[in-house]
Amino acid sequence: MKLAIEGGMPARSAPLPPNYPGAVVMGQEEAESVERVIRAQSPFRYYGPGMQNSVRLLEDMMSRELGIPYALGVSSCTAALIVALKALGIGYGDKVIVPANTFMATAGAVVCSHAVPVFVDTDESLNLDPADLERVYDDEVKAIIAVPILGNPCEMDAIMAFAKERGLYVIEDVAQSCGVRYRGNYAGTIGDMGTFSFQMNKIITAGEGGAVVTRNPAWFERAVRYHDQGLFRDKERYGLETDEESGAAVGQNYRMGELAGAVLTEQWRKLESVNARTRKNHDAILGALEEEIPGFRIREIVDRDGYLGSNLGMILPGHQAALEVIRALEAENIGTHFLYGGKPVYRNPQIYHQRTMEKGNFPFNYPFRKPVSYKEQICPRAEDLMARTVYLPVSPLLTDRDNEQIVEGIVKVYRGLGLAAKN
Ligand SMILES: *Cc1c(COP(=O)(O)O)cnc(C)c1O
Protein backbone atom coordinates (compact mmCIF):
# COMPACT_ATOMS: atom_id res chain seq x y z
CA MET A 1 0.00 0.00 0.00
CA LYS A 2 1.26 3.44 -0.94
CA LEU A 3 2.33 5.66 1.96
CA ALA A 4 0.30 8.82 2.50
CA ILE A 5 3.56 10.78 2.46
CA GLU A 6 4.01 9.55 -1.14
CA GLY A 7 0.45 10.50 -2.11
CA GLY A 8 -1.33 7.33 -1.01
CA MET A 9 -4.56 7.19 0.93
CA PRO A 10 -3.92 7.95 4.64
CA ALA A 11 -4.70 5.20 7.16
CA ARG A 12 -7.00 7.66 8.93
CA SER A 13 -9.01 10.52 7.53
CA ALA A 14 -8.52 12.71 10.63
CA PRO A 15 -5.95 13.07 13.42
CA LEU A 16 -6.28 11.00 16.60
CA PRO A 17 -8.18 12.45 19.57
CA PRO A 18 -5.95 14.56 21.84
CA ASN A 19 -4.13 12.49 24.44
CA TYR A 20 -5.01 14.21 27.70
CA PRO A 21 -6.39 11.13 29.48
CA GLY A 22 -7.86 12.94 32.47
CA ALA A 23 -9.06 16.04 30.65
CA VAL A 24 -10.94 14.07 27.97
CA VAL A 25 -13.05 12.29 30.59
CA MET A 26 -13.89 15.51 32.46
CA GLY A 27 -17.60 16.18 32.68
CA GLN A 28 -20.60 16.55 34.92
CA GLU A 29 -18.90 15.12 38.02
CA GLU A 30 -16.06 17.65 38.02
CA ALA A 31 -18.46 20.48 37.17
CA GLU A 32 -20.76 19.65 40.10
CA SER A 33 -17.88 19.22 42.50
CA VAL A 34 -16.41 22.62 41.58
CA GLU A 35 -19.86 24.17 41.75
CA ARG A 36 -20.28 22.98 45.35
CA VAL A 37 -17.06 24.77 46.31
CA ILE A 38 -18.15 27.95 44.57
CA ARG A 39 -21.68 27.90 46.03
CA ALA A 40 -20.13 27.38 49.46
CA GLN A 41 -17.87 30.39 48.77
CA SER A 42 -14.97 28.45 50.22
CA PRO A 43 -12.14 28.06 47.70
CA PHE A 44 -9.36 27.88 50.35
CA ARG A 45 -8.51 24.55 51.92
CA TYR A 46 -7.93 25.64 55.53
CA TYR A 47 -10.88 27.96 56.21
CA GLY A 48 -14.09 29.35 54.77
CA PRO A 49 -17.75 29.75 55.59
CA GLY A 50 -18.80 26.37 54.15
CA MET A 51 -15.70 24.25 53.72
CA GLN A 52 -16.09 21.29 51.36
CA ASN A 53 -12.69 19.78 52.33
CA SER A 54 -11.98 18.74 48.76
CA VAL A 55 -8.18 18.73 49.06
CA ARG A 56 -8.44 16.78 52.28
CA LEU A 57 -10.75 14.26 50.61
CA LEU A 58 -8.29 13.91 47.71
CA GLU A 59 -5.47 13.26 50.18
CA ASP A 60 -7.56 10.66 52.00
CA MET A 61 -8.47 8.92 48.74
CA MET A 62 -4.86 8.89 47.58
CA SER A 63 -3.64 7.59 50.89
CA ARG A 64 -6.24 4.80 50.98
CA GLU A 65 -5.84 3.70 47.35
CA LEU A 66 -2.04 3.90 47.29
CA GLY A 67 -1.75 2.24 50.69
CA ILE A 68 0.43 4.89 52.31
CA PRO A 69 -0.34 6.83 55.50
CA TYR A 70 0.49 10.38 54.40
CA ALA A 71 -0.54 12.31 51.28
CA LEU A 72 -0.36 16.08 50.77
CA GLY A 73 -1.93 18.01 47.89
CA VAL A 74 0.33 20.75 46.52
CA SER A 75 0.29 23.20 43.63
CA SER A 76 2.37 21.18 41.13
CA CYS A 77 4.77 18.27 40.87
CA THR A 78 7.66 20.72 40.68
CA ALA A 79 6.50 22.01 44.07
CA ALA A 80 6.06 18.41 45.24
CA LEU A 81 9.67 17.58 44.32
CA ILE A 82 11.00 20.66 46.11
CA VAL A 83 8.86 19.87 49.15
CA ALA A 84 10.11 16.25 49.16
CA LEU A 85 13.76 17.31 48.87
CA LYS A 86 13.30 19.87 51.65
CA ALA A 87 11.47 17.33 53.82
CA LEU A 88 14.45 14.99 53.51
CA GLY A 89 16.83 17.81 54.40
CA ILE A 90 18.59 17.88 51.03
CA GLY A 91 20.13 21.18 49.96
CA TYR A 92 23.29 23.23 49.55
CA GLY A 93 26.36 21.05 49.14
CA ASP A 94 24.40 17.95 48.16
CA LYS A 95 24.20 16.10 44.86
CA VAL A 96 21.12 14.27 43.69
CA ILE A 97 21.08 11.54 41.05
CA VAL A 98 18.59 12.34 38.29
CA PRO A 99 17.86 10.20 35.22
CA ALA A 100 19.07 11.54 31.87
CA ASN A 101 15.62 10.87 30.41
CA THR A 102 13.22 13.06 32.33
CA PHE A 103 11.42 16.39 32.15
CA MET A 104 13.27 19.61 33.04
CA ALA A 105 11.30 19.87 36.31
CA THR A 106 13.07 16.88 37.92
CA ALA A 107 16.49 18.49 37.51
CA GLY A 108 15.13 22.00 38.07
CA ALA A 109 13.53 21.10 41.40
CA VAL A 110 16.88 19.79 42.63
CA VAL A 111 18.53 23.11 41.75
CA CYS A 112 15.67 25.13 43.26
CA SER A 113 16.21 23.11 46.45
CA HIS A 114 19.87 24.27 46.31
CA ALA A 115 21.33 20.88 45.51
CA VAL A 116 22.94 19.95 42.17
CA PRO A 117 21.86 17.12 39.84
CA VAL A 118 24.20 14.43 38.49
CA PHE A 119 22.87 12.36 35.63
CA VAL A 120 22.50 8.61 35.38
CA ASP A 121 22.12 6.88 32.02
CA THR A 122 19.08 4.93 30.78
CA ASP A 123 18.64 1.32 29.81
CA GLU A 124 16.30 -0.13 27.18
CA SER A 125 13.29 0.68 29.36
CA LEU A 126 14.18 4.34 28.77
CA ASN A 127 14.17 4.68 32.58
CA LEU A 128 17.27 5.05 34.72
CA ASP A 129 19.73 2.19 34.45
CA PRO A 130 20.48 0.84 37.95
CA ALA A 131 23.78 -0.55 36.62
CA ASP A 132 24.99 3.02 35.94
CA LEU A 133 24.35 4.33 39.48
CA GLU A 134 27.82 3.37 40.67
CA ARG A 135 29.44 5.56 37.97
CA VAL A 136 27.75 8.73 39.21
CA TYR A 137 27.85 8.00 42.91
CA ASP A 138 30.24 9.79 45.24
CA ASP A 139 29.94 10.66 48.93
CA GLU A 140 28.41 14.06 48.12
CA VAL A 141 25.36 12.31 46.62
CA LYS A 142 22.39 12.18 49.04
CA ALA A 143 19.44 10.94 46.99
CA ILE A 144 18.21 9.30 43.80
CA ILE A 145 15.12 10.48 41.95
CA ALA A 146 13.54 7.57 40.06
CA VAL A 147 11.20 8.62 37.24
CA PRO A 148 8.88 6.06 35.66
CA ILE A 149 8.72 7.54 32.16
CA LEU A 150 5.35 7.63 30.38
CA GLY A 151 3.70 4.86 32.34
CA ASN A 152 6.65 2.45 32.53
CA PRO A 153 7.67 1.43 36.07
CA CYS A 154 11.32 1.73 37.17
CA GLU A 155 13.42 -1.24 38.24
CA MET A 156 12.80 -0.35 41.90
CA ASP A 157 14.34 -3.43 43.55
CA ALA A 158 17.78 -2.65 42.13
CA ILE A 159 17.43 1.09 42.81
CA MET A 160 16.33 0.53 46.42
CA ALA A 161 19.13 -1.99 47.01
CA PHE A 162 21.75 0.47 45.73
CA ALA A 163 20.27 3.29 47.84
CA LYS A 164 20.19 1.15 50.95
CA GLU A 165 23.78 0.08 50.55
CA ARG A 166 24.91 3.71 50.19
CA GLY A 167 22.51 5.28 52.67
CA LEU A 168 20.73 7.36 50.01
CA TYR A 169 17.15 8.56 49.94
CA VAL A 170 14.92 7.61 47.03
CA ILE A 171 12.26 9.96 45.69
CA GLU A 172 9.89 8.60 43.05
CA ASP A 173 8.78 11.26 40.57
CA VAL A 174 5.57 9.66 39.33
CA ALA A 175 4.41 12.81 37.48
CA GLN A 176 3.72 10.99 34.20
CA SER A 177 2.57 7.70 35.61
CA CYS A 178 -0.20 8.04 38.18
CA GLY A 179 -1.35 4.48 38.92
CA VAL A 180 1.81 2.68 37.77
CA ARG A 181 2.71 -0.33 39.89
CA TYR A 182 5.93 -2.25 40.39
CA ARG A 183 5.62 -5.80 41.74
CA GLY A 184 2.14 -5.00 43.01
CA ASN A 185 3.04 -1.76 44.79
CA TYR A 186 2.12 1.66 43.50
CA ALA A 187 5.00 3.79 42.24
CA GLY A 188 5.46 6.62 44.70
CA THR A 189 5.06 4.34 47.71
CA ILE A 190 8.21 2.26 47.26
CA GLY A 191 10.88 4.90 47.87
CA ASP A 192 11.10 7.34 50.78
CA MET A 193 8.84 9.93 49.17
CA GLY A 194 6.69 10.00 46.04
CA THR A 195 5.58 12.97 43.95
CA PHE A 196 2.62 13.27 41.57
CA SER A 197 1.54 15.78 38.92
CA PHE A 198 -1.98 16.78 37.97
CA GLN A 199 -0.93 19.10 35.17
CA MET A 200 -2.90 18.91 31.90
CA ASN A 201 -0.46 16.60 30.13
CA LYS A 202 -0.45 13.94 32.88
CA ILE A 203 -2.79 11.00 33.54
CA ILE A 204 -5.41 12.88 35.58
CA THR A 205 -5.59 16.64 35.84
CA ALA A 206 -6.96 19.88 37.22
CA GLY A 207 -4.84 21.87 34.77
CA GLU A 208 -2.24 22.24 37.52
CA GLY A 209 -1.67 20.40 40.77
CA GLY A 210 0.53 17.87 42.49
CA ALA A 211 0.91 15.68 45.56
CA VAL A 212 3.57 14.31 47.89
CA VAL A 213 3.28 10.97 49.68
CA THR A 214 5.39 9.28 52.35
CA ARG A 215 5.23 6.71 55.14
CA ASN A 216 7.39 8.77 57.48
CA PRO A 217 5.60 11.14 59.89
CA ALA A 218 8.64 13.36 60.49
CA TRP A 219 9.22 13.91 56.76
CA PHE A 220 5.50 14.44 56.31
CA GLU A 221 5.47 17.17 58.93
CA ARG A 222 8.42 18.89 57.25
CA ALA A 223 6.64 18.58 53.90
CA VAL A 224 3.45 20.14 55.26
CA ARG A 225 5.40 22.96 56.90
CA TYR A 226 7.53 23.70 53.87
CA HIS A 227 4.45 23.86 51.62
CA ASP A 228 2.62 26.25 53.98
CA GLN A 229 4.90 28.99 55.33
CA GLY A 230 6.26 26.74 58.06
CA LEU A 231 2.81 26.03 59.50
CA PHE A 232 1.16 22.72 60.36
CA ARG A 233 -2.47 23.74 60.58
CA ASP A 234 -4.33 20.47 60.96
CA LYS A 235 -1.93 18.35 62.95
CA GLU A 236 -4.74 16.86 65.07
CA ARG A 237 -5.95 15.15 61.87
CA TYR A 238 -2.79 13.05 61.95
CA GLY A 239 -2.33 12.77 65.68
CA LEU A 240 1.23 14.05 65.31
CA GLU A 241 2.82 15.72 68.30
CA THR A 242 4.62 18.86 67.36
CA ASP A 243 4.94 22.32 68.74
CA GLU A 244 5.21 25.60 66.92
CA GLU A 245 8.13 27.00 68.91
CA SER A 246 10.52 24.18 68.00
CA GLY A 247 8.81 22.85 64.86
CA ALA A 248 8.36 25.96 62.71
CA ALA A 249 10.84 26.70 59.92
CA VAL A 250 10.56 29.11 56.99
CA GLY A 251 8.60 27.67 54.08
CA GLN A 252 6.84 28.54 50.84
CA ASN A 253 3.27 28.65 49.63
CA TYR A 254 2.80 25.51 47.56
CA ARG A 255 -0.77 24.87 48.76
CA MET A 256 -3.45 23.28 46.62
CA GLY A 257 -6.71 25.24 46.40
CA GLU A 258 -10.18 23.78 46.79
CA LEU A 259 -11.12 24.33 43.13
CA ALA A 260 -8.27 22.06 42.04
CA GLY A 261 -9.11 19.68 44.87
CA ALA A 262 -12.75 19.51 43.76
CA VAL A 263 -11.74 18.58 40.22
CA LEU A 264 -9.14 16.08 41.39
CA THR A 265 -11.40 14.12 43.75
CA GLU A 266 -13.56 13.32 40.71
CA GLN A 267 -10.55 12.70 38.47
CA TRP A 268 -9.11 10.35 41.08
CA ARG A 269 -12.35 8.33 41.04
CA LYS A 270 -11.89 7.94 37.27
CA LEU A 271 -8.20 7.01 37.39
CA GLU A 272 -8.64 3.27 37.42
CA SER A 273 -11.08 3.22 34.50
CA VAL A 274 -8.95 5.69 32.48
CA ASN A 275 -5.89 3.49 32.98
CA ALA A 276 -7.82 0.28 32.22
CA ARG A 277 -9.24 1.66 28.97
CA THR A 278 -5.85 3.00 27.94
CA ARG A 279 -4.17 -0.31 28.66
CA LYS A 280 -6.79 -2.25 26.68
CA ASN A 281 -6.19 -0.04 23.64
CA HIS A 282 -2.44 -0.28 24.06
CA ASP A 283 -2.51 -4.07 24.23
CA ALA A 284 -4.76 -4.35 21.17
CA ILE A 285 -2.40 -2.13 19.17
CA LEU A 286 0.79 -3.77 20.40
CA GLY A 287 -0.53 -7.31 19.92
CA ALA A 288 -1.44 -6.62 16.30
CA LEU A 289 1.85 -4.84 15.56
CA GLU A 290 3.89 -7.72 16.97
CA GLU A 291 1.98 -10.10 14.71
CA GLU A 292 2.32 -7.95 11.60
CA ILE A 293 5.86 -6.59 11.93
CA PRO A 294 8.65 -9.12 12.41
CA GLY A 295 11.16 -7.77 14.92
CA PHE A 296 8.86 -4.94 16.05
CA ARG A 297 10.63 -3.44 19.02
CA ILE A 298 9.33 -1.29 21.87
CA ARG A 299 11.09 -0.02 24.98
CA GLU A 300 11.54 -2.73 27.57
CA ILE A 301 8.64 -3.04 30.00
CA VAL A 302 9.89 -3.77 33.48
CA ASP A 303 6.57 -4.98 34.93
CA ARG A 304 3.86 -5.98 32.46
CA ASP A 305 1.13 -5.98 35.12
CA GLY A 306 1.95 -2.58 36.54
CA TYR A 307 2.61 -0.79 33.25
CA LEU A 308 0.03 1.80 32.12
CA GLY A 309 0.31 1.61 28.34
CA SER A 310 -0.33 5.34 28.00
CA ASN A 311 2.40 5.45 25.33
CA LEU A 312 3.86 2.91 22.96
CA GLY A 313 7.61 3.60 22.80
CA MET A 314 8.82 2.29 19.43
CA ILE A 315 12.60 1.87 19.19
CA LEU A 316 13.92 2.42 15.64
CA PRO A 317 17.35 1.53 14.26
CA GLY A 318 18.55 5.15 14.20
CA HIS A 319 17.59 8.81 14.49
CA GLN A 320 17.05 9.22 10.75
CA ALA A 321 14.71 6.23 10.60
CA ALA A 322 12.84 7.59 13.62
CA LEU A 323 12.43 10.98 11.95
CA GLU A 324 11.14 9.32 8.80
CA VAL A 325 8.65 7.25 10.80
CA ILE A 326 7.31 10.36 12.56
CA ARG A 327 6.90 12.19 9.25
CA ALA A 328 5.32 9.27 7.45
CA LEU A 329 2.90 8.57 10.34
CA GLU A 330 1.95 12.25 10.48
CA ALA A 331 0.79 11.97 6.87
CA GLU A 332 -1.27 8.91 7.87
CA ASN A 333 -2.93 11.14 10.52
CA ILE A 334 -1.19 9.28 13.34
CA GLY A 335 0.68 11.73 15.57
CA THR A 336 3.85 10.44 17.23
CA HIS A 337 6.84 12.23 18.74
CA PHE A 338 10.24 12.12 20.39
CA LEU A 339 10.22 12.79 24.11
CA TYR A 340 11.91 16.12 24.94
CA GLY A 341 13.08 16.51 21.37
CA GLY A 342 14.96 13.23 21.74
CA LYS A 343 17.56 14.81 24.04
CA PRO A 344 18.60 14.13 27.63
CA VAL A 345 17.53 16.64 30.26
CA TYR A 346 21.09 17.93 30.82
CA ARG A 347 21.04 19.29 27.26
CA ASN A 348 18.55 21.98 28.32
CA PRO A 349 20.62 25.20 28.28
CA GLN A 350 19.76 26.23 31.85
CA ILE A 351 21.16 22.94 33.14
CA TYR A 352 23.91 22.48 30.57
CA HIS A 353 25.37 25.93 31.30
CA GLN A 354 24.55 25.69 35.01
CA ARG A 355 22.70 29.00 34.97
CA THR A 356 20.40 30.06 37.78
CA MET A 357 18.90 33.40 38.75
CA GLU A 358 20.93 33.51 41.95
CA LYS A 359 24.16 35.36 42.59
CA GLY A 360 27.21 33.46 41.41
CA ASN A 361 24.90 30.84 39.84
CA PHE A 362 24.21 29.48 43.30
CA PRO A 363 23.97 26.53 44.04
CA PHE A 364 26.28 25.48 41.17
CA ASN A 365 29.03 27.56 42.83
CA TYR A 366 29.33 25.09 45.71
CA PRO A 367 32.94 23.87 45.95
CA PHE A 368 32.24 20.18 45.50
CA ARG A 369 35.18 17.88 46.18
CA LYS A 370 34.30 16.17 42.92
CA PRO A 371 33.20 18.99 40.57
CA VAL A 372 29.99 18.67 38.56
CA SER A 373 30.10 19.43 34.85
CA TYR A 374 27.76 18.47 32.06
CA LYS A 375 28.94 17.57 28.59
CA GLU A 376 27.32 16.01 25.60
CA GLN A 377 27.47 12.25 25.78
CA ILE A 378 27.79 12.00 29.57
CA CYS A 379 24.94 9.50 29.19
CA PRO A 380 25.61 7.90 25.81
CA ARG A 381 22.76 5.37 25.91
CA ALA A 382 20.19 8.05 26.71
CA GLU A 383 21.59 10.16 23.86
CA ASP A 384 21.31 7.19 21.53
CA LEU A 385 17.96 5.70 22.65
CA MET A 386 16.08 8.97 23.13
CA ALA A 387 16.97 10.04 19.59
CA ARG A 388 15.45 6.87 18.11
CA THR A 389 12.48 6.14 20.35
CA VAL A 390 9.19 7.32 18.86
CA TYR A 391 6.18 7.51 21.19
CA LEU A 392 2.64 6.83 20.10
CA PRO A 393 0.29 8.32 22.71
CA VAL A 394 -2.52 5.88 23.53
CA SER A 395 -5.77 7.56 24.54
CA PRO A 396 -8.46 5.92 26.67
CA LEU A 397 -10.93 7.20 24.06
CA LEU A 398 -9.60 5.18 21.12
CA THR A 399 -12.23 2.97 19.49
CA ASP A 400 -11.60 -0.46 17.99
CA ARG A 401 -11.69 1.24 14.61
CA ASP A 402 -9.05 3.79 15.75
CA ASN A 403 -6.86 0.97 17.01
CA GLU A 404 -7.15 -0.86 13.67
CA GLN A 405 -6.30 2.25 11.70
CA ILE A 406 -3.30 2.95 13.92
CA VAL A 407 -2.04 -0.59 13.36
CA GLU A 408 -2.69 -0.33 9.63
CA GLY A 409 -0.78 2.97 9.44
CA ILE A 410 2.21 1.79 11.47
CA VAL A 411 2.46 -1.51 9.56
CA LYS A 412 2.29 0.36 6.27
CA VAL A 413 5.00 2.80 7.34
CA TYR A 414 7.36 0.14 8.73
CA ARG A 415 6.98 -1.92 5.54
CA GLY A 416 7.12 1.10 3.25
CA LEU A 417 10.31 2.39 4.87
CA GLY A 418 11.86 -1.07 4.89
CA LEU A 419 11.97 -1.21 8.70
CA ALA A 420 10.22 -4.50 9.29
CA ALA A 421 12.64 -7.14 10.69
CA LYS A 422 15.54 -4.73 10.46
CA ASN A 423 15.73 -3.26 13.95
C1 LIG B 1 5.46 17.10 34.27
C2 LIG B 1 6.55 16.58 35.08
C3 LIG B 1 6.98 17.24 36.25
C4 LIG B 1 6.44 18.57 36.65
O1 LIG B 1 5.09 18.55 36.93
P1 LIG B 1 4.31 19.94 37.14
O2 LIG B 1 3.06 19.51 37.85
O3 LIG B 1 4.06 20.49 35.77
O4 LIG B 1 5.16 20.82 37.96
C5 LIG B 1 7.98 16.66 36.99
N1 LIG B 1 8.56 15.52 36.61
C6 LIG B 1 8.19 14.86 35.50
C7 LIG B 1 8.87 13.58 35.16
C8 LIG B 1 7.18 15.38 34.69
O5 LIG B 1 6.83 14.73 33.57
Side-chain angles (χ1 to χ4, degrees):
M1 239 186 304
K2 201 165 170 188
L3 299 180
I5 204 171
E6 292 164 354
M9 174 93 138
R12 293 175 52 82
S13 56
L16 292 166
N19 191 42
Y20 303 116
V24 299
V25 299
M26 270 186 183
Q28 194 62 25
E29 300 80 6
E30 286 82 355
E32 282 171 11
S33 185
V34 168
E35 188 177 344
R36 282 195 292 277
V37 170
I38 291 177
R39 292 204 182 279
Q41 302 180 328
S42 298
F44 184 60
R45 72 166 295 180
Y46 289 124
Y47 49 75
M51 285 171 68
Q52 302 298 299
N53 294 312
S54 306
V55 179
R56 179 177 178 148
L57 177 59
L58 172 70
E59 291 164 349
D60 288 344
M61 291 196 309
M62 289 189 75
S63 160
R64 199 173 335 119
E65 176 63 28
L66 298 173
I68 193 160
Y70 302 109
L72 176 69
V74 295
S75 52
S76 70
C77 185
T78 308
L81 284 162
I82 295 171
V83 163
L85 288 157
K86 287 290 161 195
L88 295 170
I90 292 164
Y92 196 40
D94 296 333
K95 296 173 182 167
V96 175
I97 296 176
V98 169
N101 184 20
T102 188
F103 181 52
M104 180 60 219
T106 317
V110 169
V111 177
C112 289
S113 306
H114 307 155
V116 165
V118 291
F119 296 99
V120 62
D121 214 342
T122 64
D123 59 22
E124 311 258 313
S125 70
L126 275 292
N127 289 336
L128 80 79
D129 179 4
D132 195 44
L133 287 168
E134 191 63 51
R135 178 185 64 84
V136 291
Y137 174 79
D138 64 46
D139 64 2
E140 294 172 309
V141 169
K142 295 288 153 38
I144 302 169
I145 304 184
V147 186
I149 287 291
L150 297 178
N152 193 13
C154 293
E155 192 60 89
M156 291 307 293
D157 281 352
I159 295 168
M160 295 306 291
F162 184 89
K164 194 167 175 208
E165 199 177 301
R166 303 293 190 170
L168 306 180
Y169 295 122
V170 174
I171 296 171
E172 291 175 90
D173 175 359
V174 193
Q176 306 173 353
S177 304
C178 193
V180 151
R181 281 168 292 127
Y182 173 77
R183 294 185 192 257
N185 296 307
Y186 281 107
T189 69
I190 302 163
D192 296 298
M193 302 198 79
T195 67
F196 293 81
S197 176
F198 304 121
Q199 187 266 341
M200 177 76 175
N201 207 22
K202 317 297 172 153
I203 305 290
I204 54 172
T205 187
E208 300 281 6
V212 185
V213 302
T214 186
R215 297 182 186 284
N216 183 302
W219 297 335
F220 180 68
E221 175 171 347
R222 285 176 62 95
V224 172
R225 288 185 182 280
Y226 193 74
H227 109 297
D228 187 19
Q229 312 289 7
L231 305 175
F232 194 179
R233 305 198 207 211
D234 56 357
K235 39 184 170 282
E236 58 302 331
R237 174 178 162 202
Y238 304 99
L240 294 177
E241 285 188 24
T242 165
D243 87 88
E244 288 319 298
E245 210 43 49
S246 58
V250 175
Q252 295 270 4
N253 170 10
Y254 289 146
R255 294 181 301 258
M256 178 181 282
E258 284 287 286
L259 294 172
V263 172
L264 289 168
T265 50
E266 300 311 312
Q267 287 271 293
W268 187 268
R269 291 185 219 276
K270 296 177 183 180
L271 176 63
E272 204 180 297
S273 83
V274 164
N275 281 341
R277 286 160 70 189
T278 299
R279 179 63 192 264
K280 192 169 148 276
N281 291 331
H282 171 279
D283 289 358
I285 295 168
L286 177 60
L289 289 173
E290 281 176 335
E291 245 171 61
E292 299 277 337
I293 305 174
F296 182 71
R297 182 160 164 229
I298 61 163
R299 63 184 168 157
E300 197 176 289
I301 306 302
V302 167
D303 181 332
R304 292 231 157 233
D305 296 327
Y307 166 67
L308 295 188
S310 52
N311 279 266
L312 189 71
M314 303 178 276
I315 301 186
L316 279 303
H319 181 60
Q320 198 52 39
L323 271 176
E324 283 169 21
V325 164
I326 291 172
R327 277 196 212 114
L329 284 174
E330 192 68 50
E332 307 290 341
N333 276 316
I334 300 167
T336 57
H337 57 88
F338 292 118
L339 192 58
Y340 312 127
K343 287 188 179 167
V345 64
Y346 55 79
R347 296 280 213 106
N348 284 288
Q350 56 274 56
I351 295 295
Y352 197 75
H353 302 297
Q354 305 194 341
R355 259 200 313 267
T356 69
M357 303 212 191
E358 315 286 338
K359 285 184 185 164
N361 284 322
F362 172 90
F364 285 110
N365 59 359
Y366 186 85
F368 287 108
R369 289 190 295 282
K370 194 175 163 216
V372 175
S373 76
Y374 311 129
K375 300 186 217 44
E376 281 177 33
Q377 301 298 331
I378 50 179
C379 296
R381 296 189 78 204
E383 300 262 355
D384 171 41
L385 286 166
M386 288 181 74
R388 60 190 179 95
T389 304
V390 172
Y391 294 90
L392 169 77
V394 179
S395 165
L397 296 189
L398 297 178
T399 62
D400 291 347
R401 184 83 197 104
D402 290 327
N403 293 341
E404 285 161 21
Q405 290 172 339
I406 289 169
V407 170
E408 185 192 315
I410 295 177
V411 169
K412 195 164 99 167
V413 163
Y414 267 64
R415 287 192 186 143
L417 298 177
L419 291 164
K422 254 191 167 175
N423 49 340

